[in-house]
Amino acid sequence: MIRVLGIDPGTVLLGYGIVEGPAKARLVECGVLKAPARLPIERRLCELFDGVCGLVASFHPDEVAIEEPFVGVNVKSAFTVGRAQSVAILAAARAGVPVSYYSPAEVKRQVAGYGRGDKDQVRSMVMLQLGVKELDQKMDATDALAVALCHLYCRDAARRLAVER
């Protein structure tokens, strides 16, 4: 049984989701760390860093999984999200927790079975796979849970392949 902290990075809202698995994935906690948009970026990053450090200290994850920024038409947006991703990486590294990275398409493929699924489809599959009927959280938290589940599934598949060899 391992505990995974999934992160959906953002510089105003950073989603987090903690699950245990892999046998029957179980929801531990999820939510959103908020950094007021009116603050300068360096203050927001500092608040997010402190928040992720607090999550790691409180929940003691065995591993951290972080969604990579989507680089589409808006490259500036991807760089901004990359800053929040770096904050989460540093918080995990400071605690000695290993980090894995997943593209949005890989997360959707692992959780929803289709790499181009929409957020509602992913949310429904996350709830189904965790056996929860309601999830009163922002999409950022649901996305973070999807990242954590993706990591559980990829990790378990890699372990099975290693055993078969």
Side-chain angles (χ1 to χ4, degrees):
M1 185 74 96
I2 69 159
R3 181 173 280 190
V4 177
L5 168 59
I7 301 283
D8 178 35
T11 57
V12 175
L13 297 175
L14 183 143
Y16 67 89
I18 304 161
V19 299
E20 290 180 337
K24 171 70 174 123
R26 183 181 78 83
L27 171 65
V28 175
E29 180 72 45
C30 69
V32 175
L33 299 176
K34 297 176 186 175
R38 66 179 169 11
L39 292 179
I41 186 68
E42 62 273 12
R43 291 299 322 145
R44 283 187 278 153
L45 293 174
C46 192
E47 285 194 18
L48 294 171
F49 176 76
D50 290 343
V52 175
C53 284
L55 291 171
V56 171
S58 296
F59 292 99
H60 309 287
D62 299 300
E63 299 177 19
V64 172
I66 302 174
E67 187 170 67
E68 295 176 331
F70 173 73
V71 182
V73 176
N74 191 343
V75 174
K76 184 178 178 184
S77 175
F79 280 124
T80 302
V81 172
R83 290 174 174 172
Q85 181 190 36
S86 296
V87 162
I89 293 166
L90 287 172
R94 176 182 250 184
V97 180
V99 179
S100 296
Y101 311 92
Y102 299 95
S103 70
E106 178 66 13
V107 172
K108 291 175 183 179
R109 189 170 29 259
Q110 290 294 327
V111 175
Y114 178 59
R116 292 180 176 225
D118 65 24
K119 288 191 176 280
D120 287 329
Q121 182 181 13
V122 172
R123 182 182 182 90
S124 295
M125 292 305 292
V126 164
M127 291 170 55
L128 180 69
Q129 292 166 27
L130 291 173
V132 295
K133 296 200 187 308
E134 271 187 51
L135 204 52
D136 273 349
Q137 296 293 335
K138 293 189 177 295
M139 282 295 193
D140 304 270
T142 305
D143 290 348
L145 286 170
V147 174
L149 287 170
C150 173
H151 181 68
L152 277 181
Y153 302 150
C154 288
R155 187 181 186 282
D156 191 48
R159 183 189 58 79
R160 288 182 192 191
L161 282 172
V163 168
E164 289 178 12
R165 292 183 184 166

